[in-house]
Amino acid sequence: MKRATTAAFAPRGTLNETRWNEILTIAAEVFFQKGYEAATVREIAKRAGLLNQGSLYYYIKSKEDLLLALIERAYTQAVATLEEDDAVAASDGPTRLAAFIVRWIDKMVLSNNPLAVLEREFRSLEPSQLDAVRPLRDACNAFVRAVIEQGIAEGSFDGSLDPSVALHNIFFLLNNTHRWYRPAGRLSYDAMIDWYQTFILRGLSAPGRPAD
Amino acid sequence: MKRATTAAFAPRGTLNETRWNEILTIAAEVFFQKGYEAATVREIAKRAGLLNQGSLYYYIKSKEDLLLALIERAYTQAVATLEEDDAVAASDGPTRLAAFIVRWIDKMVLSNNPLAVLEREFRSLEPSQLDAVRPLRDACNAFVRAVIEQGIAEGSFDGSLDPSVALHNIFFLLNNTHRWYRPAGRLSYDAMIDWYQTFILRGLSAPGRPAD
Amino acid sequence: MKRATTAAFAPRGTLNETRWNEILTIAAEVFFQKGYEAATVREIAKRAGLLNQGSLYYYIKSKEDLLLALIERAYTQAVATLEEDDAVAASDGPTRLAAFIVRWIDKMVLSNNPLAVLEREFRSLEPSQLDAVRPLRDACNAFVRAVIEQGIAEGSFDGSLDPSVALHNIFFLLNNTHRWYRPAGRLSYDAMIDWYQTFILRGLSAPGRPAD
Amino acid sequence: MKRATTAAFAPRGTLNETRWNEILTIAAEVFFQKGYEAATVREIAKRAGLLNQGSLYYYIKSKEDLLLALIERAYTQAVATLEEDDAVAASDGPTRLAAFIVRWIDKMVLSNNPLAVLEREFRSLEPSQLDAVRPLRDACNAFVRAVIEQGIAEGSFDGSLDPSVALHNIFFLLNNTHRWYRPAGRLSYDAMIDWYQTFILRGLSAPGRPAD
DNA sequence: GATGAATGAGTTTTCATTCAT
DNA sequence: GATGAATGAAAACTCATTCAT
């Protein structure tokens, strides 16, 4: 069956932005819980209050498309996280990194926007489909890299560390918070933030120069 | 597809230990590359040199069973990693943790036994099916926790940190090495190990008391 | 124009004759290009400038009905083709047949009214639904048959040929002109007409009595 | 869902040639009766004695593939039709054409291999998919064209006719025999053949030189 | 007149699993 | 030990059709 003619109409929720966002959020939830492959269009439709999986295709072009849209939304939100207020922007590397950790956790991890989960599903997509998202991703990486390099230049961070490796591992840790942190659990939200700030800042610190 | 009854009797093919291990390894590869849900019995059979996916059922009882067996094998190997030689066993927390990092990366990450990937697939299993594996997992956790607590007691690690959180994050970092480390890449194997040791040990270190 | 008699009640939109004819023409195009089964209501609606496939149902009762209406329109046009001017009506069989060929190609093949295509889709309809159209079809057949019989009676056409078979094959050839004739192609329009006249008239001619 | 991994095994009936041919024949029947688009995999499977449409996918890669295979088989049979015995090969154009008509009707029309029907479905395929079949098709065309040109050179056929147009129309007529000829009908098989021979040979004949 | 939003029935396709040989 | 052949359940997706607004 031809895919070309699919969704000749229905510019995917452009019509009703609110509904479209609802659906995206529901899909995020389901993909998050089951993984992309195991998630079914049927379940997403049902949770969206539709009687039928076919109805979902009024909004989406394909399941893959839904994942793509989700990734796009997540990264757009991610980029918004890079904005610093003036005081922070003028601070030293460690301070800026600590502030970034708070912002990132606030926006990315607690919202229903589990980037780590989505990244895990990248394999389900052809590389070219990520083209739209790559610049956004790069922007996030560039930001953290710049902060790390500032810290190194200032002598706070270890000059021998590889910023690429560091930024990758930092994002990795933050983005997988949901794997261990439970809002209702033993550890408070502030304690969780604190753990990350302490662990990461000390982890990067220059030898003989404690982060605190 | 969910199987009804779990393991009333072991599949006959288990008798041929070598073949069975071959198949496990191939399955590990395929699950690793595609994820459990997206992997097909067909492909595993094909890579095992079988002409027909049905043939695989001489060895396995079900796809799910294969995953289970894989997890078991991985954790068995993991537990073997906990063994320290006498000199290390007598050392302080940081030294023991650094040594563990080397052993774990060596055995778990470089072998085709990517625990992190498997953990990701836990959701595909009913909790009860992990009963066999839980003690092994607990042993690994207990070991690292003990080392951290030793470090805290000795004053090397920060007394205010939560050992559970720390151990989880440490395993998380190590087990996902494959996501960024490429054997043929810019960073040498030793540099990779070094990064982990430095980052983790400094990250856990007591305030005002640098790890080095 | 009246809508198909099948309808319990005509769709409201029939009132706007112009719009209705536009839609019929568009549907003819789409059915022609894709075939009835492969054509979608969506595409017809889109080409008609409607934003939503549902909107088309203001004009039509069902997709099948659209096909039916199309067939009716085509046959009505076909019957108009049977009209001869006085000079031709008074001529011999071959002359009348040659003249008919021109008229038929002019009206049926060059307009967007590909009867052959529609006939091909008859199978998509229940026989009873063609009741309205059958007399028109019979009229066309009767006309050509009469001309052939006249030719036979006059000794121009082969007395041993079966007029039914002949008329069927003639219509078949003419109605499928679009399969090989391209207006912008190597063969001119006149050459195409010429080919048909020559081939068919000679094909029917009495033995030992060339058509020319 | 990925199409690439489809049918990793099952070299489509290479294993059981007989069954594969059975399935092809059944598919030909169904496509013939309903048209490619309207035909369902379900029905083909059912008629093949399979309980389930899924079972059919042991033999085929896709519905489209089935059509393709069908076309290939039909054209292979078509090419076999071009073989002439020595006496015929040495004859003049009209004789050879008359003989070809018999062979073609015998092999192509009466077998369940309705080429015309298949050609009609070409639109359902991307042009590149017909690459395998094009040479066979060309061979058939070339044969008939050569015979026509021989007839023209000998003075039997009209020198002003376009061989391409002629051959197209000839195939067209023959391949659609099923539309009007009923084995149990009024016209005998021989009479049907006779009609074609007479109509076509006279139709091509040189002016003033009757075919008989 | 037209549209957004749905619905249900059906389509092709995939896949784990079974089993006689 | 292994294979060919199947099966059933479920997946993604399509599409004619309806209807309140």
Side-chain angles (χ1 to χ4, degrees), chain A residues 30-208:
Chain A
V30 178
F31 286 161
F32 174 56
Q33 283 164 27
K34 315 240 168 166
Y36 174 72
E37 295 284 349
T40 70
V41 168
R42 199 188 217 97
E43 173 150 18
I44 297 171
K46 220 137 232 165
R47 289 212 210 171
L50 298 167
L51 292 188
N52 189 285
Q53 71 258 43
S55 309
L56 198 61
Y57 284 82
Y58 181 71
Y59 297 95
I60 71 174
K61 249 177 27 195
S62 68
K63 188 189 176 190
E64 202 177 329
D65 229 57
L66 194 50
L67 175 58
L68 225 49
L70 219 44
I71 294 178
E72 252 178 75
R73 192 178 72 166
Y75 270 116
T76 304
Q77 235 171 300
V79 166
T81 289
L82 306 182
E83 187 103 7
E84 299 174 309
D85 63 38
D86 295 345
V88 170
S91 312
D92 61 6
T95 306
R96 289 180 69 205
L97 186 53
F100 172 74
I101 290 172
V102 181
R103 294 200 308 276
W104 188 263
I105 296 274
D106 269 9
K107 285 218 185 163
M108 300 309 293
V109 175
L110 297 193
S111 80
N112 230 326
N113 238 340
L115 255 200
V117 180
L118 293 176
E119 297 247 4
R120 185 197 301 164
E121 309 295 2
F122 276 11
R123 93 186 112 197
S124 300
L125 301 168
E126 291 174 40
S128 73
Q129 298 181 292
L130 293 175
D131 286 349
V133 126
R134 205 160 292 130
L136 305 176
R137 206 185 175 200
D138 290 345
C140 296
N141 288 348
F143 177 87
V144 173
R145 176 194 300 268
V147 173
I148 292 172
E149 281 167 351
Q150 180 189 342
I152 292 174
E154 294 163 354
S156 316
F157 292 157
D158 187 342
S160 71
L161 63 79
D162 185 317
S164 293
V165 171
L167 77 87
H168 194 104
N169 279 272
I170 290 168
F171 274 123
F172 209 67
L173 283 174
L174 299 182
N175 287 336
N176 285 284
T177 303
H178 59 88
R179 297 248 198 135
W180 64 271
Y181 174 70
R182 298 286 163 262
R186 187 164 44 83
L187 219 68
S188 73
Y189 181 74
D190 286 344
M192 179 262 285
I193 296 274
D194 211 57
W195 150 256
Y196 277 135
Q197 290 179 330
T198 311
F199 182 63
I200 291 171
L201 289 191
R202 283 189 191 149
L204 301 181
S205 65

Side-chain angles (χ1 to χ4, degrees), chain B residues 49-84:
Chain B
L50 297 167
L51 289 186
N52 188 284
Q53 71 259 43
S55 309
L56 198 62
Y57 284 78
Y58 182 77
Y59 299 97
I60 71 173
K61 242 175 20 150
S62 70
K63 189 189 175 190
E64 201 178 330
D65 232 55
L66 197 50
L67 175 59
L68 227 47
L70 218 45
I71 294 178
E72 254 179 72
R73 192 177 73 166
Y75 271 116
T76 305
Q77 233 170 302
V79 166
T81 289
L82 306 182
E83 187 102 8
E84 300 174 307

Side-chain angles (χ1 to χ4, degrees), chain B residues 72-210:
Chain B
E72 254 179 72
R73 192 177 73 166
Y75 271 116
T76 305
Q77 233 170 302
V79 166
T81 289
L82 306 182
E83 187 102 8
E84 300 174 307
D85 62 36
D86 294 346
V88 170
S91 312
D92 61 5
T95 306
R96 290 180 68 205
L97 186 53
F100 171 76
I101 288 172
V102 181
R103 295 200 307 276
W104 188 263
I105 296 275
D106 271 7
K107 284 221 184 161
M108 300 309 293
V109 175
L110 298 192
S111 78
N112 231 325
N113 237 340
L115 254 200
V117 180
L118 293 176
E119 296 246 8
R120 184 196 303 165
E121 310 294 2
F122 276 10
R123 92 188 114 194
S124 300
L125 302 167
E126 290 173 41
S128 74
Q129 298 180 292
L130 292 175
D131 286 349
V133 126
R134 203 159 292 129
L136 305 176
R137 205 184 175 202
D138 289 346
C140 295
N141 288 348
F143 177 87
V144 173
R145 177 195 300 269
V147 173
I148 291 171
E149 280 166 351
Q150 180 189 343
I152 291 173
E154 294 162 357
S156 317
F157 292 156
D158 186 344
S160 70
L161 64 77
D162 185 316
S164 293
V165 171
L167 79 86
H168 194 103
N169 279 273
I170 290 168
F171 274 124
F172 207 67
L173 283 175
L174 299 182
N175 286 337
N176 285 284
T177 302
H178 58 89
R179 296 248 198 135
W180 63 272
Y181 175 70
R182 298 285 163 265
R186 188 162 45 85
L187 221 68
S188 74
Y189 182 74
D190 286 345
M192 179 261 288
I193 297 273
D194 211 57
W195 151 258
Y196 277 134
Q197 290 179 330
T198 311
F199 182 63
I200 292 172
L201 290 191
R202 283 191 191 149
L204 301 180
S205 65
R209 167 120 181 233

